[in-house]
């Protein structure tokens, strides 16, 4: 029998603030962090973003990292979120931990700041995705295993799924998993070239939606076997009860009309958790605000849940689409919702679309008793992932 995988710590950095408390308050009060770019050196200020409201230097000082080198924001966000997660469950001094982090941008912001000049003497190369994971680990404790997942916007969720598998297969008792992603010019310009950026705050599932807002941030969850958590006397925040991943390879960037990959991922997650669709109390949708994604995900949700569709909302109208980090940031939001008994609403939703589901809207979070929550993260190429977080009984 596979061990139960529980969650004993989490840390979050997003446009809503630094730390679980700041993010939870903003979600419950319906306060968005999307605004005009302040720290990203871009000329395209017509596109609002979900930027973390601290400079890289302020983040470095907050983390008390040595001066004299350039730090990627991916590294800095990740270190802040990881430290909070480890501190929450008293693992800051623990030796021999495993870290799995999802990212695609890595240290691209540093590379852009130096281009076309070479690296300064003594400056380590931080561009590589794996380098950012190792930097995050080195800033936070004693890790003897690191791994980097880069599957576009499903990266961080796939890191969580990989962590779950390591524990279930007896490879590890504790795995810290999640992801970190920083905004970069290449990042913003790439999505601009796809013509899927909105000039206003994004409106997932709304008939007037015209694209996404990019965001940045990080989140890490401490995954642990139930036996290990009980032995340590750790507080258990929830259970990572189910996980699914599928790839329909429909198109490089677009989702299939019938949401085939998304449907398979959600179905696998339900099967893995031993649950029926009727057991799900809330779905945190991928919900980017692009016409294609929202229609495709709606089709998949209808296939999975039929007439018994639970409350659904997208939190990307709060943080922007944090791309590779979105799966862990939104998993952390789901854990907050599960723990505190609320459903985040979509303040920007006004106009139903016959092609889409109708999300939960309003000005403040709904107070609801939750037992099982589903969270979706879908990446380019049809790499689609879904997890289920459950209350610990």
């Amino acid at each position: 029998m596979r061990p139960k995988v529980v969650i004993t710590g989490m840390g979050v950095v997003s446009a809503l603030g630094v730390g679980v408390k700041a993010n939870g308050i903003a979600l419950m009060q319906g306060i968005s962090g999307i605004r005009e770019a302040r720290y990203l050196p871009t000329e395209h200020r017509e596109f609002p973003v979900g930027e973390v409201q601290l400079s890289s230097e302020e983040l470095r000082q907050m983390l008390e990292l040595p001066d004299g080198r350039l730090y990627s924001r991916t590294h800095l966000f990740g270190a802040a979120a990881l430290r909070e997660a480890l501190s929450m469950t008293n693992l800051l001094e623990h030796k021999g931990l495993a870290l799995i982090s999802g990212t695609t941008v890595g240290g691209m912001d540093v590379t852009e700041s130096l281009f076309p000049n070479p690296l300064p003497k003594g400056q380590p190369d931080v561009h590589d995705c794996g380098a950012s994971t190792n930097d995050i680990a080195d800033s936070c404790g004693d890790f003897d295993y690191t791994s980097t997942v880069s599957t576009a916007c499903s990266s961080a969720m796939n890191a969580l799924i990989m962590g779950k598998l390591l524990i279930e297969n007896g490879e590890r008792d504790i795995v810290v998993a999640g992801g970190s992603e920083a905004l970069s010019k290449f990042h913003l310009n790439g999505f601009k070239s796809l013509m899927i950026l909105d000039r206003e705050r994004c409106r997932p599932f709304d008939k007037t939606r015209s694209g996404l807002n990019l965001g940045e941030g990080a989140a890490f969850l401490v995954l642990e076997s139930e036996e290990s958590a009980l032995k340590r006397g750790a507080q258990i925040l929830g259970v990572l009860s189910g996980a699914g991943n599928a790839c329909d390879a429909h198109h490089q960037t677009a989702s299939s009309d019938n949401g085939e990959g998304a449907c398979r991922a959600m179905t696998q997650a339900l099967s893995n958790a031993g649950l029926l669709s009727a057991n799900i109390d809330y779905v945190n949708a991928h919900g980017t605000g692009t016409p294609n994604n929202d229609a495709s995900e709606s089709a998949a949700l209808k296939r999975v849940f039929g007439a018994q569709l639970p409350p659904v909302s997208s939190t990307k109208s709060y943080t922007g689409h944090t791309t590779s980090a979105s799966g862990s940031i939104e998993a952390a939001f789901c854990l907050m919702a599960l723990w505190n008994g609320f459903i985040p609403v979509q303040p920007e939703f006004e106009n139903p679309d016959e092609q889409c589901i109708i999300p939960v809207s309003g000005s403040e979070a709904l107070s609801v008793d939750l037992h099982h929550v589903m969270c979706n993260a879908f990446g380019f190429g049809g790499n689609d992932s879904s997890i289920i977080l459950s209350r610990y009984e």
Side-chain angles (χ1 to χ4, degrees):
M1 184 176 178
R2 67 188 187 196
K4 182 181 289 186
V5 178
V6 299
I7 302 161
T8 57
M10 63 175 161
V12 190
V13 176
S14 79
L16 301 182
V18 176
V20 169
K21 183 177 180 180
N23 279 265
I25 290 172
L27 284 176
M28 288 189 280
Q29 295 181 351
I31 300 171
S32 175
I34 296 173
R35 51 179 69 86
E36 182 179 315
R38 180 180 177 186
Y39 300 104
L40 179 67
T42 177
E43 63 186 58
H44 295 296
R45 298 189 178 276
E46 69 272 25
F47 299 116
V49 292
E51 226 174 9
V52 175
Q53 292 299 293
L54 289 169
S55 69
S56 295
E57 177 57 21
E58 288 171 327
L59 285 161
R60 183 197 69 78
Q61 292 180 12
M62 181 186 78
L63 293 164
E64 299 181 331
L65 295 174
D67 198 0
R69 60 162 282 192
L70 294 170
Y71 295 91
S72 72
R73 286 172 74 80
T74 298
H75 171 191
L76 297 168
F77 299 151
L82 181 56
R83 285 189 187 182
E84 182 181 28
L86 294 173
S87 177
M88 184 179 288
T89 190
N90 298 316
L91 287 174
L92 277 172
E93 305 301 323
H94 194 88
K95 296 186 181 299
L97 290 172
L99 175 68
I100 307 172
S101 182
T103 189
T104 301
V105 169
M108 194 178 290
D109 59 319
V110 172
T111 306
E112 288 177 345
S113 72
L114 298 172
F115 184 82
N117 300 314
L119 286 171
K121 186 176 181 180
Q123 169 69 36
D125 187 352
V126 300
H127 179 90
D128 181 73
C129 292
S132 69
T133 301
N134 289 335
D135 283 340
I136 291 167
D138 290 343
S139 299
C140 297
D142 188 333
F143 290 84
D144 65 359
Y145 176 99
T146 62
S147 185
T148 305
V149 179
S150 192
T151 55
C153 302
S154 58
S155 299
M157 187 166 287
N158 285 338
L160 292 171
I161 294 173
M162 181 177 171
K164 182 176 187 286
L165 290 171
L166 283 175
I167 293 171
E168 288 178 341
N169 291 327
E171 298 292 329
R172 291 279 173 163
D173 291 322
I174 304 172
V175 178
V176 190
S180 183
E181 194 91 298
L183 287 168
S184 70
K185 289 188 289 185
F186 184 86
H187 199 183
L188 186 74
N189 293 344
F191 277 85
K192 180 180 179 294
S193 71
L194 294 173
M195 297 183 288
I196 54 173
L197 293 178
D198 199 327
R199 293 170 185 262
E200 300 176 22
R201 190 176 298 168
C202 67
R203 302 167 301 286
F205 304 109
D206 193 287
K207 192 168 187 175
T208 67
R209 70 192 186 279
S210 61
L212 56 85
N213 309 133
L214 281 174
E216 62 182 5
F220 287 98
L221 304 184
V222 178
L223 309 180
E224 192 165 357
S225 69
E226 181 184 33
E227 181 182 1
S228 172
L230 293 175
K231 186 177 180 180
R232 290 198 308 115
Q235 182 181 30
I236 295 176
L237 306 175
V239 182
L240 180 49
S241 55
N245 171 266
C247 189
D248 62 12
H250 170 75
H251 185 270
Q252 274 190 308
T253 58
S255 303
S256 57
D257 290 342
N258 66 352
E260 180 64 23
C263 178
R264 291 189 181 196
M266 287 187 277
T267 302
Q268 284 180 25
L270 287 167
S271 176
N272 184 242
L275 296 172
L276 301 174
S277 60
N279 297 130
I280 301 300
D281 301 309
Y282 164 63
V283 178
N284 183 284
H286 187 58
T288 61
T290 63
N292 172 253
N293 174 88
D294 294 0
S296 176
E297 186 171 11
S298 293
L301 286 165
K302 291 172 183 176
R303 289 174 64 184
V304 173
F305 293 98
Q308 292 182 301
L309 185 68
V312 179
S313 70
S314 168
T315 49
K316 288 182 174 64
S317 57
Y318 291 87
T319 64
H321 188 1
T322 55
T323 52
S324 290
S326 63
S328 60
I329 290 174
E330 290 163 25
F333 290 170
C334 286
L335 196 59
M336 294 178 207
L338 194 70
W339 186 254
N340 295 292
F342 73 91
I343 291 176
V345 299
Q346 289 186 213
E348 303 300 313
F349 182 84
E350 292 182 354
N351 306 286
D353 184 338
E354 60 275 5
Q355 287 189 304
C356 295
I357 57 94
I358 297 177
V360 181
S361 59
S363 58
E364 292 186 353
L366 300 179
S367 180
V368 180
D369 191 33
L370 300 173
H371 293 270
H372 303 286
V373 172
M374 177 178 281
C375 186
N376 291 335
F378 306 145
F380 283 164
N383 190 291
D384 300 329
S385 296
S386 183
I387 61 172
I388 296 171
L389 302 172
S390 300
R391 182 185 295 181
Y392 180 69
E393 303 293 350

